[in-house]
Amino acid sequence: MNSSRPLWELHLLNIPTSEATAVAVFRIHHSLGDGASLISLLLACTRRTADPASLPTLPESRPPPPPLPPPTSASPLALLLYVWAVLFVAWNTLVDLVVLVATSIWLKDTPTALKGGEGVEFRSKRFVHRTVSLDDVKDIKNSMHCTVNDVLVGVTAAGISRYLHRRHGENNDGKKQQQLLKASTRLRSAMIMNMRPKLEIPDLAEMMAGKNCGVKWGNLISYIILPFPIAMYQDPLDYVRKGKAIVDRKKSSLHAVLAYRCATFLIKKFGVKGGAAMTYGLVSNTTFSYSNIVGPVDAISFYGHPILYLAPSVYGHPHALTLHYQSYMNAMKIVVAVDESTIPNPHQLLDDLAESLKVIKEAIPTKS
């Protein structure tokens, strides 16, 4: 690292746009903290617009599921179900460990119009974003009895399926290309996971002031290898159903904890380069980075200046596409960072993602 350059910069662009009268660009080196730390620190510097003395309010997060308790009943059925559940999690974890190691070493995704080539991490990135309705996401969630993340995974699968079938169909042999995408495409994301129990703005503010509040600052993240189906389903809701099934499968595994422990072990055993080699292999052999971040439910201000939207992203890793979802008030911001030599039309990708959300929302059965 070049010690003569600062680890963070703040640029204020007093240029009116369609969304705001000015834009603040905050660039921070990842060594200072992960997305959860830095977003929480930023929010700790803001206050609710309606009540300048109050910190932002985050939506209540669902508590993590407790460890599987041993059966309290002595019945053979209870014992059998307990053993089955333990074996199910153990098997899923073993499979994920094999996939994790294989992906870090040699298991690559299928080359597509989203997959970056060698050296993509050194090329400049372009950042574009689009605002969609968070209420639409919640309507789909409530109708299909799933989570917001399940819906976003489904919307992402639908959007990139639209984009890829258009890009690959531009060839003269378009039909064969589309059949190839349906039959054999391996397209996965390195989904970023926050390893903290939950996001707490006041705790992080106290910790940065030097108080011991039990919340770890810095980088405490892991990765989940999340496969995305590339298909053109007749029923748009199938994207959400498939996304929920994929996410539920990952929840029945210690994948994230295992990946974090593996990286920690490699760093202790072989130094930083050992952990970096694992992470680089995992990221470079998948297609894109994916994350969604929870934001305040009320309007917030920074030193009296109202914030109209938040659009976080990251660059410098070997992906041609990075996709972030950021909630704020009743809106959801879709942010993509792209290598334009791989993805020359990022606004079209945003169109496909926004249109996919609209189509899935319209497919929800209406209550009579």
Side-chain angles (χ1 to χ4, degrees):
M1 295 174 59
N2 186 350
S3 59
S4 66
R5 300 186 63 181
L7 293 179
W8 61 269
E9 301 172 349
L10 176 61
H11 302 268
L12 300 177
L13 309 179
N14 290 314
I15 303 173
T17 66
S18 59
E19 293 187 84
T21 56
V23 177
V25 180
F26 204 8
R27 187 170 71 152
I28 312 172
H29 198 282
H30 218 309
S31 63
L32 293 180
D34 55 27
S37 293
L38 298 174
I39 286 288
S40 297
L41 179 60
L42 173 64
L43 295 180
C45 298
T46 66
R47 295 296 183 267
R48 293 175 57 193
T49 302
D51 183 6
S54 300
L55 285 164
T57 303
L58 295 176
E60 293 185 5
S61 59
R62 181 181 299 179
L68 196 64
T72 56
S73 171
S75 67
L77 179 59
L79 180 61
L80 181 63
L81 290 176
Y82 175 76
V83 172
W84 166 252
V86 171
L87 291 176
F88 183 68
V89 172
W91 171 255
N92 287 340
T93 303
L94 177 62
V95 172
D96 287 339
L97 173 61
V98 173
V99 173
L100 175 70
V101 174
T103 302
S104 297
I105 299 174
W106 59 270
L107 185 61
K108 299 178 182 291
D109 278 5
T110 306
T112 64
L114 295 176
K115 187 77 171 70
E118 185 176 353
V120 67
E121 64 267 32
F122 301 114
R123 293 197 284 269
S124 298
K125 299 297 187 294
R126 182 174 182 182
F127 300 89
V128 296
H129 51 83
R130 180 75 52 84
T131 303
V132 296
S133 172
L134 181 59
D135 290 335
D136 287 349
V137 176
K138 291 181 178 179
D139 287 344
I140 299 170
K141 172 185 78 78
N142 295 333
S143 176
M144 302 196 68
H145 307 288
C146 59
T147 66
V148 168
N149 189 54
D150 296 336
V151 176
L152 296 180
V153 170
V155 169
T156 302
I160 61 179
S161 292
R162 283 171 173 264
Y163 181 84
L164 285 178
H165 278 85
R166 181 188 300 105
R167 286 286 304 273
H168 286 255
E170 291 171 354
N171 301 336
N172 294 330
D173 198 12
K175 291 185 178 179
K176 288 186 178 180
Q177 287 287 339
Q178 291 185 10
Q179 290 174 358
L180 177 65
L181 283 172
K182 291 181 181 180
S184 62
T185 300
R186 182 192 298 117
L187 191 149
R188 301 168 299 168
S189 77
M191 182 177 179
I192 304 168
M193 299 291 296
N194 176 24
M195 299 300 290
R196 300 168 183 82
K198 57 182 179 177
L199 201 61
E200 289 287 349
I201 297 174
D203 287 348
L204 279 170
E206 292 176 3
M207 181 185 59
M208 293 303 293
K211 299 178 181 179
N212 183 12
C213 60
V215 180
K216 185 176 180 180
W217 171 262
N219 286 277
L220 193 60
I221 58 174
S222 184
Y223 290 96
I224 285 181
I225 301 175
L226 198 67
F228 281 83
I230 303 303
M232 302 301 288
Y233 295 126
Q234 293 295 325
D235 183 0
L237 298 181
D238 284 343
Y239 289 106
V240 180
R241 296 187 185 103
K242 185 68 173 178
K244 183 180 186 307
I246 293 172
V247 173
D248 286 347
R249 157 64 180 79
K250 293 297 181 180
K251 288 178 181 177
S252 300
S253 169
L254 302 177
H255 187 321
V257 176
L258 197 64
Y260 183 79
R261 296 298 182 192
C262 286
T264 303
F265 170 78
L266 290 173
I267 291 173
K268 290 182 178 179
K269 191 72 174 177
F270 303 104
V272 173
K273 290 185 177 181
M278 170 192 160
T279 304
Y280 183 84
L282 188 151
V283 174
S284 61
N285 288 336
T286 53
T287 299
F288 69 104
S289 299
Y290 169 91
S291 179
N292 69 79
I293 304 174
V294 177
V297 297
D298 301 310
I300 59 175
S301 298
F302 183 78
Y303 287 91
H305 300 279
I307 295 179
L308 301 182
Y309 68 87
L310 300 168
S313 193
V314 65
Y315 69 98
H317 55 292
H319 274 155
L321 170 64
T322 299
L323 175 61
H324 278 79
Y325 292 97
Q326 171 72 61
S327 66
Y328 177 39
M329 294 191 288
N330 61 343
M332 178 71 74
K333 180 69 76 172
I334 307 174
V335 190
V336 299
V338 303
D339 166 34
E340 288 191 283
S341 64
T342 305
I343 306 171
N345 47 357
H347 288 287
Q348 180 62 64
L349 179 58
L350 285 178
D351 290 341
D352 290 331
L353 291 167
E355 181 64 20
S356 296
L357 174 62
K358 178 183 176 182
V359 170
I360 293 173
K361 171 66 165 58
E362 292 174 347
I364 296 175
T366 56
K367 296 181 180 180
S368 57

